[in-house]
Amino acid sequence: MDKKESQKPKYQILKEYIIETIGLEKLEPGDKIWSENELAQKFKVSRHTVRQAISQLASEGWLYKVHGKGTFVGDRIRRKSNKIKTIGVMTTYLNDYIFPSIILGIDEVLSKAGYNMVLGCSYNHHDKERMCLENFIRADIHGVIVEPTKSALPNPNLDLYRQIIEKDIPMFFIHGCYKELDCPYVVVDDIKAGYIAARHLIDLGHKRIGGIFKIDDIQGHYRFKGYQMALHEAKIDLKDLNVLWFDTDDKREEFIKFDKKMFRELTKRCSAIVCYNDQVALKVMNIIRKKGMKIPEDISLVSFDDSQLAVVSEVKLTTVAHPQKKLGRIVAESLINKINGGKGKDKIKMEPELIIRGSTKEYK
Amino acid sequence: MDKKESQKPKYQILKEYIIETIGLEKLEPGDKIWSENELAQKFKVSRHTVRQAISQLASEGWLYKVHGKGTFVGDRIRRKSNKIKTIGVMTTYLNDYIFPSIILGIDEVLSKAGYNMVLGCSYNHHDKERMCLENFIRADIHGVIVEPTKSALPNPNLDLYRQIIEKDIPMFFIHGCYKELDCPYVVVDDIKAGYIAARHLIDLGHKRIGGIFKIDDIQGHYRFKGYQMALHEAKIDLKDLNVLWFDTDDKREEFIKFDKKMFRELTKRCSAIVCYNDQVALKVMNIIRKKGMKIPEDISLVSFDDSQLAVVSEVKLTTVAHPQKKLGRIVAESLINKINGGKGKDKIKMEPELIIRGSTKEYK
DNA sequence: AATTATTTGTGCGTATGTATC
DNA sequence: AGATACATACGCACAAATAAT
């Protein structure tokens, strides 16, 4: 047993002892520790050895020394890194839609707690996502908030996420989480949201209810699932033809590349459509209007998120609200709590809320 | 002259010599440097002193040591920027208005160049501004982009700005610059913008042209100045009563705290109003509409920025466009250029452009 | 205001251990 | 096996900063 200890250099043992004792004796930052000579006597080593141990601890931030006064316990905040704590935040988009509000909520909490926020944006592409993550890791951040990129698809950047987890850097996902990772998250209950949306239409008497969902996003799948559940509960057959799927690139370029014929069919067959989000609803609204049909008289629309867009057009959108700023605040608070070693809820689901406006109407 | 040198400890002198020599002899990472004994003989110091110098340099990344082999020049890439370069960006607001677009433009350039972006938000208050700046400085960033807080008022945080300048951290302002600092900036030519706005109304035949401007913002002053110039040029007397001023807090809370009577007078006296920005124009529009007057039939409005808000209401705003994303890109590019030691333009003025929509009409 | 004790900072000499070639 | 180079460790001396007397 002596061997194991004696394999370690004496200064190493001393270092460990000092760190341990700081913890045990509950020394606060600024408290004085023993002088070099005291330690040397106590451990029966030379002062040189003590100095080696102490100077290394000092350069690591555990201690600081003042000439002529003594050696003191370092500022605990500075122990891990001299620098201010920084949180990496990555979302799929930055300036659009609900994202500014989410980021605002995060910033409110982080800046109040004295954290810096490093912002990255994946533009919902895996290569950009990878770049951001690499930046985060290199920047030596203290926590991460991520909105996953194409969360319903296999992710090529899981190695980086695992690296973050292995480094014990607290990480929260928002909106969804890669199913391969078991990570804390704050999400809106999208299944419920989908259910609420469809249920609202059913309650209004609609029976032929179509849906447009995003296929590369886990939120799209969940909202679809809720929609499906509501229809099933109401014993309405879900016809595959009534559901259209699109993906990120469709949306960004000119949206709804999917067969125009299919869309025409959809509007003919259905009296109501559940739209993946407000953006989609607006585009659908424009197309329908161009066909000479009216909303909500001819077709009812329900969308998701309650973004600024929802109230922009003449017909305000009935939409299932996303908590936006509140979600930002909650995820930031949870993350800080985790960083400070607190035991909070790991998986948080926020309740969606239906906001009824002008885009839905009773089916006569 | 010997004194100065001898005040420094020997190991310090040695450290400097070693760093210098690496540069002079163009030693590449991986090259071996002299052994501890060689250095000790060469400088006539003890080997212990050499070790002190070398071990510090090693912990700083300049050198690395291999037991039994020797001491080697460290990886140069790791030397200067082991950590990724980070740019601090502070704006007055985050989620509103044109700011998401500006930030997007900055992010596009920075992330492509491999920089991280640390985002801060002053909410246009000096205390928040101070917090952000302190964070930036502590975070050891490589460059700063700032939209000044209450740029027309004396600033209590100039000490921090000066600290940044003294540290030779490249800094660009956007939208305006504190007059006490001589800093690089990228701005919209707000005087010209103000001129264009008023000129447009004059060209439409308006003679009684009011204005609403922001008093704590330098942009407000410049836009007013342009407005003034246009009126003067057209030999229209500028009546003080036709100009209203508001400040940040007015806007944030319930806007236009200024005497309602004055505002009523303004709408009676004028056939057109130049509004500080789209937000103000929308509020003014609402008030005017409540009075039963119509835009642009009864009163013409010109605003600034061409934000998303400009096209939200039924009557789309005639507005002098802010380049938004482009401004973000330009300031980010300029900053990176400066960081890399390039000689670019320091003071950049971007041209505003009038976008004519539905809120202005010929004066009959 | 000067002195003294304490504490860290700098520096030298020496000895032994261990990794590499 | 031996030479070389770094790693650990001890002891000593003096300088410089600090605090208390």
Side-chain angles (χ1 to χ4, degrees):
Chain A
M1 63 166 216
D2 254 355
K3 257 190 183 173
K4 268 185 188 170
E5 278 294 294
S6 62
Q7 273 172 358
K8 285 183 196 169
K10 289 187 184 178
Y11 74 91
Q12 203 45 265
I13 297 170
L14 229 178
K15 277 177 71 175
E16 284 163 20
Y17 173 82
I18 292 171
I19 290 173
E20 209 176 304
T21 313
I22 289 173
L24 283 175
E25 307 228 343
K26 288 174 184 166
L27 296 179
E28 294 295 314
D31 287 355
K32 191 169 180 295
I33 67 164
W34 318 273
S35 77
E36 293 176 355
N37 286 324
E38 279 170 349
L39 280 169
Q41 281 176 31
K42 196 170 171 181
F43 284 88
K44 299 195 175 78
V45 295
S46 71
R47 189 177 152 225
H48 177 272
T49 306
V50 173
R51 278 185 62 74
Q52 191 172 7
I54 285 179
S55 63
Q56 283 192 21
L57 287 172
S59 78
E60 288 166 22
W62 291 88
L63 305 173
Y64 65 93
K65 302 183 277 184
V66 180
H67 194 165
K69 282 182 79 172
T71 305
F72 304 84
V73 176
D75 191 340
R76 281 195 180 158
I77 301 162
R78 288 187 200 159
R79 187 191 300 163
K80 263 222 163 177
S81 87
N82 229 329
K83 281 149 196 155
I84 188 166
K85 283 193 183 177
T86 303
I87 306 296
V89 177
M90 176 170 64
T91 53
T92 50
Y93 299 104
L94 259 190
N95 68 326
D96 277 31
Y97 208 51
I98 55 173
F99 296 100
S101 296
I102 296 172
I103 292 166
L104 181 72
I106 293 173
D107 176 70
E108 276 184 17
V109 173
L110 290 188
S111 69
K112 194 174 288 174
Y115 285 77
N116 257 352
M117 173 172 65
V118 177
L119 204 58
C121 178
S122 70
Y123 302 95
N124 214 21
H125 285 295
H126 287 137
D127 48 349
K128 267 282 188 185
E129 179 190 33
R130 188 165 192 89
M131 254 189 55
C132 282
L133 290 173
E134 281 171 350
N135 281 1
F136 285 173
I137 293 170
R138 275 205 291 161
D140 201 22
I141 51 174
H142 297 73
V144 189
I145 295 172
V146 176
E147 187 201 19
T149 298
K150 300 191 180 182
S151 47
L153 301 185
N155 188 288
N157 302 321
L158 289 179
D159 56 323
L160 293 180
Y161 285 112
R162 294 221 172 85
Q163 211 172 308
I164 291 171
I165 294 168
E166 271 164 29
K167 282 191 174 188
D168 265 333
I169 299 171
M171 174 163 55
F172 267 82
F173 282 84
I174 59 174
H175 286 176
C177 182
Y178 299 114
K179 61 181 189 300
E180 296 89 345
L181 301 174
D182 181 39
C183 261
Y185 56 72
V186 179
V187 299
V188 181
D189 188 339
D190 279 304
I191 297 178
K192 192 161 181 181
Y195 174 85
I196 290 174
R199 183 59 198 258
H200 170 61
L201 294 172
I202 293 166
D203 289 345
L204 287 173
H206 292 274
K207 296 229 151 38
R208 293 166 295 120
I209 301 170
I212 300 178
F213 299 99
K214 193 173 180 180
I215 199 163
D216 50 358
D217 228 72
I218 194 75
Q219 289 186 284
H221 290 239
Y222 285 150
R223 288 172 186 178
F224 168 73
K225 202 167 171 181
Y227 154 86
Q228 204 176 17
M229 279 167 56
L231 262 59
H232 183 259
E233 189 189 77
K235 294 186 178 138
I236 298 174
D237 264 0
L238 191 155
K239 285 175 189 152
D240 281 351
L241 275 171
N242 289 350
V243 177
L244 298 184
W245 294 90
F246 70 98
D247 72 21
T248 298
D249 298 316
D250 286 347
K251 193 190 102 203
R252 280 285 129 179
E253 284 164 27
E254 56 176 33
F255 181 57
I256 309 194
K257 266 199 227 154
F258 52 64
D259 202 331
K260 281 184 180 171
K261 204 172 153 191
M262 283 180 68
F263 183 70
R264 208 180 316 131
E265 295 292 316
L266 183 71
T267 56
K268 275 185 193 165
R269 259 203 309 279
C270 298
S271 65
I273 302 176
V274 175
C275 299
Y276 171 71
N277 65 12
D278 296 335
Q279 285 176 314
V280 172
L282 279 192
K283 307 239 177 180
V284 167
M285 200 187 261
N286 277 329
I287 299 174
I288 289 177
R289 206 182 299 153
K290 274 183 194 162
K291 286 178 184 294
M293 290 192 278
K294 276 189 178 171
I295 290 172
E297 286 77 8
D298 298 319
I299 290 187
S300 286
L301 291 184
V302 183
S303 63
F304 297 87
D305 290 346
D306 189 31
S307 66
Q308 294 173 329
L309 295 177
V311 291
V312 160
S313 61
E314 310 88 278
V315 179
K316 318 292 186 208
L317 291 173
T318 293
T319 182
V320 182
H322 182 295
Q324 302 185 32
K325 200 160 131 184
K326 193 174 170 195
L327 184 142
R329 278 200 296 255
I330 287 180
V331 69
E333 281 161 5
S334 305
L335 183 67
I336 289 177
N337 184 265
K338 200 168 194 71
I339 290 173
N340 295 333
K343 271 189 179 179
K345 269 175 86 177
D346 252 10
K347 324 259 174 177
I348 298 170
K349 266 189 189 168
M350 300 184 69
E351 290 295 307
E353 188 194 350
L354 181 70
I355 294 178
I356 299 174
R357 296 204 182 89
S359 68
T360 51
K361 204 190 162 193
E362 248 181 90
Y363 183 65
K364 64 251 153 168
Chain B
M1 62 171 219
D2 253 357
K3 258 190 183 174
K4 271 185 187 168
E5 279 293 295
S6 61
Q7 274 172 357
K8 285 184 197 169
K10 290 188 182 178
Y11 74 90
Q12 197 52 267
I13 298 171
L14 228 178
K15 276 176 71 175
E16 283 162 21
Y17 173 82
I18 291 171
I19 290 172
E20 209 176 303
T21 314
I22 289 172
L24 284 174
E25 306 227 344
K26 289 173 186 166
L27 296 179
E28 293 296 315
D31 287 356
K32 190 170 180 294
I33 67 163
W34 320 271
S35 76
E36 294 177 352
N37 285 324
E38 278 169 349
L39 279 169
Q41 282 175 30
K42 196 169 171 182
F43 283 87
K44 298 197 177 77
V45 294
S46 74
R47 197 179 143 224
H48 175 87
T49 307
V50 174
R51 278 184 61 73
Q52 192 173 4
I54 285 179
S55 62
Q56 283 192 21
L57 287 173
S59 78
E60 288 167 21
W62 290 87
L63 305 173
Y64 64 93
K65 301 184 279 186
V66 179
H67 197 159
K69 284 182 76 174
T71 305
F72 304 86
V73 176
D75 191 341
R76 277 191 182 165
I77 301 161
R78 283 188 202 158
R79 183 192 306 160
K80 259 229 161 173
S81 65
N82 197 345
K83 278 155 196 150
I84 190 164
K85 284 190 180 174
T86 302
I87 305 297
V89 177
M90 177 170 65
T91 53
T92 50
Y93 298 104
L94 259 191
N95 66 328
D96 276 30
Y97 208 51
I98 55 173
F99 296 100
S101 296
I102 295 173
I103 292 166
L104 180 72
I106 294 173
D107 176 70
E108 275 184 17
V109 173
L110 289 188
S111 68
K112 195 174 286 175
Y115 285 78
N116 256 352
M117 173 172 64
V118 177
L119 205 58
C121 179
S122 71
Y123 302 96
N124 212 23
H125 285 296
H126 287 137
D127 48 350
K128 266 280 187 184
E129 179 189 33
R130 189 165 191 90
M131 254 189 55
C132 281
L133 290 173
E134 281 170 350
N135 281 1
F136 285 173
I137 292 170
R138 275 207 289 162
D140 201 21
I141 51 174
H142 297 74
V144 190
I145 296 172
V146 177
E147 188 202 19
T149 297
K150 300 190 178 182
S151 47
L153 301 184
N155 187 289
N157 302 320
L158 288 179
D159 56 323
L160 294 180
Y161 285 112
R162 293 223 172 83
Q163 211 170 309
I164 290 171
I165 294 168
E166 270 164 29
K167 282 191 175 188
D168 266 332
I169 298 171
M171 173 162 57
F172 267 83
F173 281 84
I174 59 174
H175 286 176
C177 182
Y178 299 114
K179 61 180 188 301
E180 295 90 345
L181 302 174
D182 181 39
C183 262
Y185 57 73
V186 179
V187 300
V188 181
D189 188 339
D190 278 304
I191 297 178
K192 192 162 182 182
Y195 175 85
I196 290 174
R199 183 59 199 257
H200 170 59
L201 294 171
I202 293 166
D203 288 346
L204 286 173
H206 292 274
K207 296 228 151 35
R208 295 166 294 121
I209 300 171
I212 300 177
F213 298 99
K214 192 172 181 182
I215 199 162
D216 50 357
D217 227 72
I218 194 75
Q219 288 186 284
H221 292 236
Y222 284 150
R223 287 172 185 177
F224 167 73
K225 201 168 174 183
Y227 154 85
Q228 205 177 18
M229 280 167 55
L231 262 59
H232 184 258
E233 189 189 76
K235 293 186 178 136
I236 298 175
D237 264 0
L238 191 153
K239 286 174 189 151
D240 280 350
L241 275 171
N242 289 350
V243 176
L244 299 183
W245 294 90
F246 71 98
D247 70 20
T248 299
D249 299 317
D250 288 346
K251 193 190 101 200
R252 280 283 129 182
E253 285 164 26
E254 55 176 34
F255 182 56
I256 308 195
K257 267 197 225 152
F258 51 62
D259 203 329
K260 281 185 181 170
K261 203 171 154 192
M262 284 180 67
F263 184 69
R264 209 179 316 131
E265 295 292 316
L266 183 71
T267 56
K268 275 185 192 162
R269 259 202 310 277
C270 299
S271 65
I273 303 175
V274 175
C275 299
Y276 172 70
N277 65 12
D278 296 335
Q279 284 177 315
V280 171
L282 279 193
K283 306 237 179 182
V284 167
M285 199 186 262
N286 277 329
I287 298 173
I288 290 177
R289 206 183 298 153
K290 275 183 194 161
K291 286 177 184 292
M293 290 192 278
K294 276 191 180 171
I295 291 172
E297 286 76 8
D298 298 321
I299 291 187
S300 284
L301 292 183
V302 183
S303 62
F304 298 87
D305 290 346
D306 189 32
S307 66
Q308 294 173 330
L309 295 177
V311 292
V312 160
S313 61
E314 309 88 279
V315 179
K316 318 291 186 207
L317 292 172
T318 294
T319 182
V320 182
H322 183 296
Q324 302 185 31
K325 201 159 129 183
K326 193 174 170 194
L327 184 142
R329 279 199 296 256
I330 286 179
V331 69
E333 280 161 5
S334 304
L335 183 67
I336 290 176
N337 184 265
K338 202 169 192 68
I339 289 173
N340 295 332
K343 271 189 176 179
K345 270 176 84 177
D346 253 10
K347 324 258 175 179
I348 298 169
K349 267 190 189 167
M350 300 184 70
E351 291 294 308
E353 188 195 349
L354 180 70
I355 295 178
I356 299 174
R357 296 205 182 89
S359 67
T360 52
K361 205 189 161 193
E362 251 180 88
Y363 183 66
K364 64 255 155 167

